[in-house]
Amino acid sequence: QVQLVESGGGLVQPGGSLRLSCAASGSIFSQNVMGWYRQAPGKERELVALISSGGITNYAASVKGRFTISRDSAKNTVYLQMNSLKFEDTAVYYCYYRVFAPNMDYWGKGTLVTVSS
């Protein structure tokens, strides 16, 4: 099993910034993908950004140019730097961890990001 612990959520004004962190512990695999999903009020959970153990990234179109995902493999930690935040970014953000052979998904409990004036 893999445990994911998120931190960094909070209340920010439009145009502000936050950095989310997620640390993984437990049965860690060298080949993995880590990232972030979010669920806004009244909407389905959606992809925000992913990063593989090889450094390949994938972003939702709505956050490209504003958010940056990175990782520290030695610490089994993934980060999401969020800049130029908008009202539409308000959501619960969930850390995501995927391993392969066999394929398994793990989720954090979520951290709330509220963008409000």
Side-chain angles (χ1 to χ4, degrees), residues 19-100:
R19 187 174 74 158
L20 305 183
S21 299
C22 175
S25 62
S27 299
I28 305 302
F29 293 79
S30 59
Q31 306 300 314
N32 61 75
V33 172
M34 297 188 71
W36 299 89
Y37 284 71
R38 68 186 182 187
Q39 187 165 23
K43 300 182 70 177
E44 297 291 316
R45 187 176 298 188
E46 65 178 357
L47 169 71
V48 178
L50 298 172
I51 184 166
S52 73
S53 53
I56 299 173
T57 59
N58 186 31
Y59 294 91
S62 60
V63 307
K64 284 183 178 179
R66 299 189 298 119
F67 292 9
T68 302
I69 190 168
S70 61
R71 65 186 292 160
D72 184 338
S73 294
K75 297 180 179 179
N76 299 125
T77 299
V78 64
Y79 306 93
L80 185 68
Q81 178 66 47
M82 304 185 293
N83 299 325
S84 302
L85 284 161
K86 305 175 180 179
F87 293 125
E88 307 94 275
D89 296 317
T90 296
V92 176
Y93 284 70
Y94 296 92
C95 184
Y96 172 79
Y97 189 97
R98 182 174 178 84
V99 298
F100 305 96

